[in-house]
Amino acid sequence: MLRIGLTGGMGAGKSTVARELVESGAVLIDSDAIAREVVAPGTPGLAALVEEFGEGILAEDGSLNRPALAAVAFADDVSRGKLNAITHPLVGARTAELIGDAAADAIVVQDIPLLVENGLAPLMQLVVVVGADEATRLRRLVEQRGVDEADARARIAAQATDDQRRAVADVWLDNNGAPDAIRARVRELWEQRLVPFERNQRAGVRARAAYRLVTDPEWDVQARRIIARLHLACGASAVRIDHVGSTAVHGLPAKDIIDIQITVADMTTAESLSDALAGAGFPLAAHVTHDNPKPSPHDPDGTDLSRWGKRLHGNADPGRPANIHLRVRDSLGQRFALDLRDWLRADEHGRAEYLAVKRGAELAAADLVGDEAGEAYYRVKEPWFDAVYPVVTEWARARA
Ligand code: ADP
């Protein structure tokens, strides 16, 4: 099962996108509908609200009078806190129940207007944001939904900004254009990303990237989003989580795959995280048990695997390949991943040399596919790592 978060400013077109996703086959969980359901007449939720805020919040027919509730509950932070303490757990429980009812291969879309405001993005395997210029949103709200203009402006101003939404958006759906255009984009997203993502996750398959060097100014924010999800999946078992590898070095061309290192206390902890990581969309590469040992004075031939152990997971999302390396705190591999990144960030010549080696590796893999491409690529790259290892470790030692 895949959990997708859908959000966007008022009037941007969330409901329009949600409808198209449902037509494609998604299971929709509408948080506004749940928020109404848990305080419908006859529910324990409504009874709790009346107990807290009095009979004055009820309409004549016994249903909730929302403006009356808002008047008392939004009066101050304490009242607002009491309202949330009643409704949030009920909404959470009902949401969990609906997610639990979804089929094992379902693509569940949670429509959450306040996803950004409530910090829910890391809970989702993918966040889709529907965006439209403020003027467009206002016009739609006023002309198509009959909202009073001043009211629409005030509500838009009270929500998250587009910059805040962009920071969590794995997918940004621009809905400034015609309805047909956004519907076509949603279909494409469904077929090219969501369906294969769900299939990969269920089958434990990691998304791959081509052995081609590119640059992308978004790598850093994409890594941050992955790290937020990993923190949630690992909890206190992660000593630290870092963006490592070439995509963490500004301006250095790299294969379009983000490397993340999760530092753990020991390998048993790494193993214990397998299910949580797989469930969060990061399946295990079971065949990988260590990095290639690098020659050092203690191990001149570079054959001692014991200090280079690791577990490897990958992202199932075909739209964002990532390698997730789990390494033990202060193991040689864990130190080297951090030191190499920092050295590359600091040393212009090192960066140029590494790029030249990578260009050679790219060329060696150019006409090959699958495992053969990977082997050709790493045959060129690995000797350079062996050669640079003492340089990098010495640089890090001198700096410490
Ligand atoms: P939200 O759920 O994000 O508040 P809606 O999906 O309800 O937004 O869209 C707001 C209004 O704008 C609706 O009346 C909808 O039919 C209309 N709308 C959505 N997308 C477009 C579009 N691309 N062009 C014109 N009108 C649109």
Side-chain angles (χ1 to χ4, degrees):
M1 189 182 71
L2 206 57
R3 264 182 97 174
I4 309 293
L6 175 66
T7 194
M10 264 185 83
K14 261 184 328 296
S15 316
T16 310
V17 167
R19 238 184 339 268
E20 195 62 26
L21 285 167
V22 168
E23 272 178 35
S24 301
V27 173
L28 181 68
I29 299 185
D30 180 336
S31 68
D32 275 349
I34 294 175
R36 285 191 297 272
E37 184 189 318
V38 299
V39 294
T43 57
L46 187 57
L49 287 181
V50 170
E51 178 151 345
E52 183 63 51
F53 297 108
E55 301 267 343
I57 63 165
L58 294 178
E60 283 190 0
D61 64 359
S63 68
L64 182 63
N65 178 343
R66 289 183 174 274
L69 174 66
V72 286
F74 294 157
D76 55 78
D77 285 348
V78 174
S79 304
R80 193 188 291 267
K82 285 178 178 164
L83 171 67
N84 289 341
I86 292 170
T87 56
H88 284 183
L90 294 169
V91 170
R94 181 65 182 139
T95 304
E97 193 174 46
L98 290 170
I99 291 172
D101 287 347
D105 63 352
I107 297 176
V108 173
V109 173
Q110 291 180 248
D111 178 344
I112 310 181
L114 299 183
L115 180 136
V116 175
E117 291 81 348
N118 291 334
L120 300 174
L123 279 170
M124 307 293 159
Q125 287 170 279
L126 196 81
V127 171
V128 177
V129 178
V130 188
D133 299 340
E134 198 170 309
T136 309
R137 283 154 54 195
L138 266 174
R139 198 178 58 242
R140 286 181 190 156
L141 288 172
V142 173
E143 290 174 7
Q144 303 195 38
R145 294 220 314 230
V147 181
D148 170 71
E149 183 172 336
D151 192 22
R153 273 185 202 281
R155 283 155 76 175
I156 286 176
Q159 291 192 332
T161 63
D162 269 357
D163 281 348
Q164 290 168 319
R165 289 197 189 93
R166 277 190 196 279
V168 303
D170 297 294
V171 177
W172 183 271
L173 296 176
D174 181 289
N175 187 28
N176 284 300
D180 276 355
I182 190 76
R183 281 197 284 270
R185 261 298 270 133
V186 173
R187 287 280 168 180
E188 181 188 293
L189 172 70
W190 178 264
E191 281 158 24
Q192 295 182 7
R193 190 155 180 183
L194 304 188
V195 169
F197 188 170
E198 188 286 320
R199 199 190 307 127
N200 282 351
Q201 152 147 319
R202 199 156 24 96
V205 171
R206 292 165 296 126
R208 301 302 186 94
Y211 292 94
R212 247 196 8 255
L213 304 182
V214 295
T215 50
D216 186 342
E218 294 282 305
W219 277 332
D220 210 44
V221 285
Q222 290 172 354
R224 254 180 272 160
R225 290 198 283 270
I226 294 173
I227 288 172
R229 292 184 173 115
L230 293 172
H231 268 298
L232 204 63
C234 296
S237 296
V239 175
R240 56 186 284 178
I241 306 183
D242 298 276
H243 183 195
V244 295
S246 296
T247 59
V249 180
H250 185 73
L252 182 62
K255 295 200 301 298
D256 190 14
I257 185 153
I258 287 178
D259 288 281
I260 304 286
Q261 172 166 275
I262 302 178
T263 297
V264 290
D266 48 50
M267 270 302 165
T268 313
T269 306
E271 284 158 26
S272 75
L273 288 170
S274 281
D275 289 350
L277 288 171
F282 303 99
L284 177 72
H287 63 285
V288 178
T289 54
H290 54 80
D291 291 304
N292 287 337
K294 314 280 176 279
S296 70
H298 313 286
D299 177 23
D301 301 330
T303 51
D304 180 6
L305 299 180
S306 67
R307 302 176 72 188
W308 293 89
K310 82 159 168 185
R311 304 263 288 178
L312 179 68
H313 288 251
N315 197 351
D317 176 6
R320 181 56 277 153
N323 288 325
I324 316 296
H325 311 263
L326 283 82
R327 298 191 179 101
V328 172
R329 177 173 41 201
D330 292 331
S331 66
L332 297 182
Q334 190 259 358
R335 290 298 343 151
F336 186 49
L338 295 172
D339 292 344
L340 178 67
R341 177 199 64 188
D342 293 345
W343 178 75
L344 285 169
R345 282 176 176 171
D347 190 315
E348 194 185 332
H349 294 293
R351 266 199 316 275
E353 192 180 287
Y354 185 30
L355 179 57
V357 171
K358 293 210 292 181
R359 290 278 181 221
E362 179 185 38
L363 204 62
D367 296 324
L368 304 170
V369 290
D371 288 349
E372 282 194 3
E375 280 159 25
Y377 189 89
Y378 290 108
R379 236 191 335 269
V380 175
K381 234 174 77 166
E382 283 300 323
W384 184 79
F385 278 106
D386 288 354
V388 88
Y389 179 67
V391 178
V392 170
T393 46
E394 179 51 31
W395 174 84
R397 199 191 57 75
R399 200 179 59 137

